[in-house]
Amino acid sequence: MSPLHLTPVAAEIFDDIIDGYFPFAESMRQMMVRRGLRAALISLSQAPIMDIPGLAPTSPVPLRILEGTAGLIHAMQILVVRREAQISCSGTGDWRWFDRATHHETVFDPVTRLAEPALVRGIGFFQGPDEMETFGSVQFEPQSSVAIASLFKAVTAVETDLTPWRSAQAWSIHDELNQIVAFTSQDDRLCLKRQKSAAIIDGHFDLMGNCKLVLARPRSEREHVILEYLQAESL
Amino acid sequence: MLSQELNDRITRVGPRTPAGGVLRQYWQPAALVDQLDSTFPVPVNLLGEHLAIIKNDGGDLLLATRQTATDEPTNHHPKSQDITILADQPSYPVLVKAGIVFAYMGPGVPPELPNFDCFRAPDSHSFAFKGLWQCNWLQALEIGIDPAHASFLHRFLEDDDPDDSYGKQFRDKAADTNIPMTKILREYPRPQIEVEETDFGLKITALRHMEQDLTHVRVTNQIFPEAICIPMSREMTITQWHVPIDDENCYWFTIFTSFKNPVNKELMREQRLKEHRLPDYAPLKNKANQYHYDPDEQANMTYTGMGLDINVHDQWAVEGMGAIQDRTQEHLGRSDVAIIRYRRMLRKAMQALEEGRIDELPMYGIDNLQKIIGPLSNDAIADSGNWKEASWEYDMARRAECPWNANVHT
């Protein structure tokens, strides 16, 4: 039996601008609602962030900011899943605060606000009636160029004929943690979850670990460019 | 809104600054050829350094460091006979192209210039000019990559005869119609803005959706690190750099490129010399005289009341932000998408340079910069479902009829 079970789902390969000034998770939620997505693999980089002391997550950002801490997300790759009004963000990031004395966490707080709107690139899964663990309720679509795959065993060697798709790019998704951890984190309890990108070329690929995969094949030059960026920005 | 530290990082350009390091990796306009008469040295103030163009013993031009007093005003233009060259201080190679003297102030071997239209056009179809803006280079660039502001800042309440539009931005007809551009911008003020990364920077497309399922498509470009290429009229484009003198002053350097008739340089120069003084090319309309603001004109003719030259409108807007825009109090919106994308490119470039990954800078890591051509920059009106193809076809048609080789097929 093939260790790989592949399910094409209705999806899009996209880029978008998420609004700044809201809590990070809220900006993501608004984007997901706007695009009709249930889940998305998202990459972003070079995004300024800010922490304003005493500002509740539901409060608007003040017109004039008199104090706070600034920082920058150098890179971040996350799986965002929307369930009703709730958003979970799971993945890995590399960020820094300019005042390290007060801000040096290893887990990114999703109420952190973006200090500017940010470019995001990703693979988004449209909302549908078909429940898939980790991704929520998506839409099976046999002709889709995006698939969710489950890898039932570790594949540490190059194997052939594991998938009818002859070429695709692949990202491994570990269990939804609802946390964004620093990619340098050595916390064993978190079992350091990294999303590793790979590729299927001529039916061959090399991936490690029991995991779910997102596979994507570009159908246009624009999609190809976006997937190249997702690969290049993998942590 | 950015922290002061993040704002300083993207605005300050003196020696050994992150943004200054990125700008120094690229050829920078230093002077107009018009400024090179027979008298050398010619003073140049660039990227926080006080320099002068000299001719070396071999007759080649060079940009050398000149002696300055500590209290020398920012844009001081000493007379040639008062300039002392410091032979033991840095000097930089220059090249002359399209009416501009470019200088390379970075390390190692200078890169080639890309093969943009402004560099390919013959002298007969090219004209260069410059002007002083008393503000930081980045806010000057950012107004050039914001397609939305034109509908307000450059709003004309009446439409002039497009036949009187020579040398003037936004005064021509839109594409192959009889609709003045001023009318398009006024009546469709909420463009949908699409941004794509390219080999040279960004392609920015502003879509103004009109009646009868038509769309006005305006394609402009950001050429990394601090230039833009935008349509001026049906036959001309503008390629414009926003070159730091220091952190609080910059020059715009513009190459006007004609795809049809030879440029009427005398008229273009005359139009612009009416608005600028020499030798420092400072604008005659400025903060000190409120940009010649006229409330009657504002009530009846223009959004700003500051005359018909859109360059003055931009100057007022960017100088009005202060010497260096305080982005700690800034709120960007969705129409700022090109600015957001540009700042991300700049931050990425600064980080790459600091980490020694120079090939990741735009237009680095490419084996042949001559392959970078164009860019497409025009206005078109097309069926809404076909705007991308229409814009491309319009560009190809203009190139096919161009009297010089503007072919972009590889």
Side-chain angles (χ1 to χ4, degrees), chain B residues 189-209:
Chain B
R190 294 174 56 198
Q192 172 190 339
I193 302 169
E194 307 277 340
V195 180
E196 302 166 44
E197 287 187 22
T198 66
D199 283 345
F200 55 81
L202 298 173
K203 177 182 177 185
I204 305 163
T205 305
L207 302 170
R208 287 177 163 83
H209 299 294

Side-chain angles (χ1 to χ4, degrees), chain A residues 191-207:
Chain A
C191 299
L192 184 64
K193 308 298 183 184
R194 289 194 186 185
Q195 296 182 9
K196 183 176 170 57
S197 66
I200 299 176
I201 301 172
D202 293 331
H204 302 186
F205 66 97
D206 186 2
L207 286 163

